[in-house]
């Protein structure tokens, strides 16, 4: 007498489960693309040469201000690797009237944040705060930017922390791969420095770098958020008009040279193995420097879509081939590091030591595939949407908008280019991608960091024509040309 209700309930549950499964099996269709309009960047100059840029975004009561300096690690020289980043980091560690603790406490009391640092291309100080506290925050911000004291105790602490962090990172295959590539493939030095260069840093060197490179003529003060153009100009004049520099304005180097003997038709030019015995995993990278591109050139857009296609997310080709189809890694990706007149391209993945040569082959196959055949719109259009969607999300925040503007100023690109981004990304064709890949991505380096004994034989079998250069991790000495 109880069977009929039970059967009825079971049938209903089965029907619900079947419906849910059918719904899950259907891939949801993307919604209509949203348009993004970037406010105009309003620019002016103070008499001391400081550029002031204002992007009004009045929908939320937050303002982000960045002092962008168009000098970074490229200005320091290999023998002083890490000096630019250390100088920028020291700016928040004390001024003539405030200690590091006082700076942190005063900004925290305002409900804001402040940080500083340097990259290869630039240095910056950034503060974010609610708009009603902007004047108070600017007083602290300007003090940090213009009156650093570089206290020895804070420098010693920063050096110790940097050396400890680098010492640990040099046990990690992924970090070692990037660290080595800076010298081996890109002919640059590590932005964060080496252990020897960090130990050699002194307060006098930091002060000298600051005085030579952190100057109004090479700087842009960027406001984004709930602030008017007039208000921003008044604050810029109030706190930065007295900043002066009368010495020579030095330009940082921007040369680019391809190694002799490079064959533009070969796929991989060299194989470097950093032997890290007992490493739990191996890092596998393909690295290529391009001297035919730069951030300010139109190839930036085909290159960006190419990167999204090959290694820019879960659905990218590298991740599909290496992780999803074969289960050889938790993830694989790629990226471009842009310079004024070149681009540094690299792929990245980690796998078990034994499968490192197989992964290297798969990466090379994907690089080659970029130069051949057409790319269907069904694959290409979603990868463009990843870029335009990310761009739209980023500029919704004041910090994201400041960073987008700062990127343009870093490379002397007109700020009107912000409103061209989505159109130019969507206009990229598969032909442009093939041409860029063929001209810029072939003839690179394979870098494997791992336990060489576990993949030595398979590497020789898969790459019989290329003898690897093998360097024990314990002997690494970057940025020496021979890495030892």
């Amino acid at each position: 007498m109880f069977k009929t209700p039970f059967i009825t309930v079971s049938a209903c549950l089965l029907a619900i489960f079947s419906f849910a499964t059918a719904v899950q099996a259907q891939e949801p269709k993307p919604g209509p693309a949203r348009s993004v309009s970037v406010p105009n960047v309003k620019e002016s100059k103070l008499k001391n040469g400081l550029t002031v840029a204002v992007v009004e975004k009045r929908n939320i009561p937050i303002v982000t201000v960045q002092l962008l300096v168009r000098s970074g690690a490229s200005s320091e020289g290999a023998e002083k690797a890490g000096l630019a980043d250390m100088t920028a980091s020291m700016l928040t560690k004390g001024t003539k009237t405030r200690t590091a603790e006082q700076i942190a406490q005063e900004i925290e009391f305002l409900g804001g944040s402040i940080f500083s640092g340097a990259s290869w291309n630039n240095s910056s100080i950034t503060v974010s705060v609610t708009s009603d506290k902007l004047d108070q925050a600017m007083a602290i911000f300007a003090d940090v930017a213009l009156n650093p004291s570089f206290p020895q105790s804070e420098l010693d602490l920063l050096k110790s922390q940097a050396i400890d962090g680098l010492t640990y990172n040099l046990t990690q295959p992924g970090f070692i791969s990037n660290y080595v590539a800076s010298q081996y493939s890109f002919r640059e030095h590590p932005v964060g420095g080496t252990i020897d260069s960090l130990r050699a840093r002194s307060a006098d060197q930091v002060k000298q770098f600051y005085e030579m490179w952190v100057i109004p003529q090479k700087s842009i003060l960027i406001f984004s958020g709930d602030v008017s153009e007039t208000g921003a100009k008044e604050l810029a004049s109030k706190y930065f008009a007295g900043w002066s520099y009368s010495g020579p304005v030095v330009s940082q180097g921007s040369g680019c040279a391809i190694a002799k003997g490079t064959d533009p038709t070969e796929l991989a030019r060299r194989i470097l193995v950093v032997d890290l015995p007992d490493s739990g995993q191996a890092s596998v990278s393909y690295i290529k420097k391009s001297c035919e591109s730069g951030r300010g050139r139109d190839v930036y857009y085909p290159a960006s879509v190419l990167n999204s296609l090959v290694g820019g997310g879960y659905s990218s080709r590298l991740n599909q081939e290496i992780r999803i189809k074969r289960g050889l890694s938790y993830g694989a990706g790629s990226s471009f590091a842009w310079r004024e007149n070149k681009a540094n391209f690299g792929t990245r993945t980690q796998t078990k030591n034994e499968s490192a040569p197989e992964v290297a082959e798969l990466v090379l196959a994907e690089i080659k595939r970029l130069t051949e055949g057409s790319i269907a719109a069904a694959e290409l259009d979603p990868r463009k949407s990843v870029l335009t969607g990310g761009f739209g999300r980023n500029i919704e925040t004041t910090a994201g908008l400041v960073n987008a503007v700062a990127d343009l100023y870093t490379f002397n690109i007109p700020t009107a280019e912000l409103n061209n981004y989505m159109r130019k990304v969507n206009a990229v064709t598969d032909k442009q991608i093939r041409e860029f890949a063929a001209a810029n991505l072939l003839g690179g380096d394979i870098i494997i960091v791992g336990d060489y004994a576990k993949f030595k034989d398979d590497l020789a079998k898969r790459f019989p024509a290329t003898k690897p250069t093998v360097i024990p991790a314990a002997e690494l000495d970057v940025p020496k040309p021979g890495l030892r």
Side-chain angles (χ1 to χ4, degrees):
M1 61 182 291
F2 296 103
K3 288 183 179 181
T4 300
F6 177 77
I7 292 173
T8 301
V9 171
S10 298
C12 289
L13 291 174
L14 180 61
I16 293 171
F17 176 77
S18 299
F19 175 76
T21 302
V23 170
Q24 290 176 351
Q26 298 175 3
E27 184 176 342
K29 296 181 180 180
R34 294 178 59 188
S35 61
V36 175
S37 179
V38 183
N40 291 328
V41 180
K42 301 167 184 176
E43 183 183 301
S44 60
K45 271 187 182 291
L46 300 185
K47 290 181 179 180
N48 59 8
L50 176 67
T51 299
V52 180
V54 186
V55 191
E56 296 186 36
K57 192 174 182 64
R58 312 301 289 272
N59 56 331
I60 52 174
I62 297 175
V63 181
T64 297
V65 185
Q66 182 177 111
L67 181 67
L68 173 74
V69 182
R70 288 202 298 246
S71 298
S74 61
S75 302
E76 66 198 5
E79 71 283 357
K80 295 181 179 178
L83 179 57
D85 188 51
M86 187 165 289
T87 301
S89 298
M90 282 293 293
L91 296 178
T92 59
K93 303 303 181 183
T95 71
K96 296 172 183 177
T97 58
R98 291 177 171 92
T99 64
E101 185 177 2
Q102 287 173 326
I103 293 168
Q105 287 177 343
E106 290 182 31
I107 286 291
E108 185 178 358
F109 179 77
L110 297 177
S113 62
I114 189 169
F115 57 90
S116 57
S119 67
W120 183 261
N121 301 299
N122 61 46
S123 305
S124 63
I125 317 165
T126 306
V127 66
S128 290
V129 71
T130 55
S131 49
D132 60 322
K133 303 290 195 305
L134 180 57
D135 196 328
Q136 296 163 273
M138 285 295 294
I140 304 167
F141 178 76
D143 190 32
V144 164
L146 306 182
N147 303 304
S149 58
F150 305 119
Q152 187 66 50
S153 59
E154 292 291 343
L155 179 62
D156 291 342
L157 178 60
L158 191 63
K159 285 171 59 175
S160 176
Q161 291 171 337
I163 290 169
D164 286 348
L166 182 54
T167 301
Y168 169 76
N169 286 336
L170 287 173
T171 67
Q172 306 303 303
F175 179 88
I176 294 174
S177 180
N178 292 330
Y179 187 74
V180 166
S182 63
Q183 168 62 38
Y184 184 72
S185 302
F186 301 140
R187 292 294 184 262
E188 296 178 350
H189 58 267
V191 172
T194 67
I195 290 177
D196 287 342
S197 71
L198 290 172
R199 284 176 178 155
R201 295 292 70 81
S202 68
D204 284 343
Q205 290 174 335
V206 169
K207 184 178 180 181
Q208 288 169 7
F209 186 89
Y210 170 84
E211 291 175 345
M212 173 175 282
W213 295 105
V214 184
I215 59 177
Q217 294 92 331
K218 295 180 71 69
S219 302
I220 302 94
L221 187 62
I222 307 170
F223 291 81
S224 169
D226 186 24
V227 60
S228 68
E229 179 185 11
T230 300
K233 284 182 177 180
E234 289 175 352
L235 288 170
S237 182
K238 178 179 179 180
Y239 291 107
F240 286 88
W243 186 18
S244 64
Y245 174 78
S246 57
V249 179
V250 184
S251 298
Q252 53 190 359
S254 58
C256 186
I258 296 295
K260 294 180 179 179
T262 298
D263 181 353
T265 64
E266 66 180 339
L267 190 51
R269 185 168 63 95
R270 302 180 296 181
I271 298 177
L272 173 67
V273 174
V274 179
D275 186 15
L276 191 64
D278 301 321
S279 172
Q281 286 189 320
S283 169
V284 181
S285 301
Y286 176 80
I287 306 295
K288 179 64 169 65
K289 176 176 68 173
S290 166
C291 284
E292 302 301 321
S293 56
R295 176 61 181 88
R297 302 183 189 179
D298 279 343
V299 293
Y300 170 75
Y301 295 97
S304 296
V305 178
L306 176 152
N307 184 67
S308 180
L309 178 72
V310 73
Y314 187 82
S315 299
S316 65
R317 287 181 173 183
L318 285 175
N319 203 59
Q320 289 278 343
E321 291 297 322
I322 295 172
R323 173 180 174 165
I324 297 173
K325 290 184 181 180
R326 294 173 176 80
L328 294 174
S329 175
Y330 284 114
S334 65
S335 61
F336 280 95
W338 291 95
R339 309 292 188 244
E340 184 177 358
N341 65 347
K342 66 177 179 176
N344 295 341
F345 175 77
T347 70
R348 60 188 178 277
T349 189
Q350 290 198 168
T351 186
K352 60 184 178 181
N353 284 286
E354 291 79 1
S355 57
E358 179 185 0
V359 168
E361 271 193 336
L362 292 170
V363 171
L364 290 180
E366 290 306 315
I367 297 299
K368 184 178 181 182
R369 187 155 76 103
L370 288 169
T371 69
E372 302 172 343
S374 61
I375 305 166
E379 181 184 18
L380 190 56
D381 290 346
R383 305 318 303 167
K384 294 179 182 178
S385 295
V386 169
L387 293 177
T388 56
F391 175 79
R393 285 192 305 273
N394 287 339
I395 63 171
E396 283 298 312
T397 68
T398 57
L401 192 50
V402 158
N403 289 334
V405 173
D407 181 59
L408 298 178
Y409 274 111
T410 295
F411 297 102
N412 290 306
I413 301 171
T415 55
E417 189 68 12
L418 274 181
N419 272 307
N420 294 330
Y421 180 86
M422 301 185 81
R423 175 181 61 81
K424 288 190 175 181
V425 164
N426 286 322
V428 171
T429 65
D430 65 326
K431 181 175 182 289
Q432 288 176 308
I433 291 173
R434 289 196 307 275
E435 290 175 348
F436 179 89
N440 296 281
L441 296 191
L442 301 180
D445 301 324
I446 298 171
I447 298 179
I448 303 176
V449 183
D451 192 338
Y452 184 45
K454 294 181 179 179
F455 60 81
K456 177 180 180 180
D457 293 341
D458 192 35
L459 185 67
K461 187 183 302 182
R462 292 178 187 269
F463 297 93
T466 308
K467 183 179 180 180
T469 298
V470 181
I471 300 176
E475 296 180 13
L476 272 180
D477 191 356
V478 176
K480 288 187 177 179
L483 299 177
R484 299 179 190 236

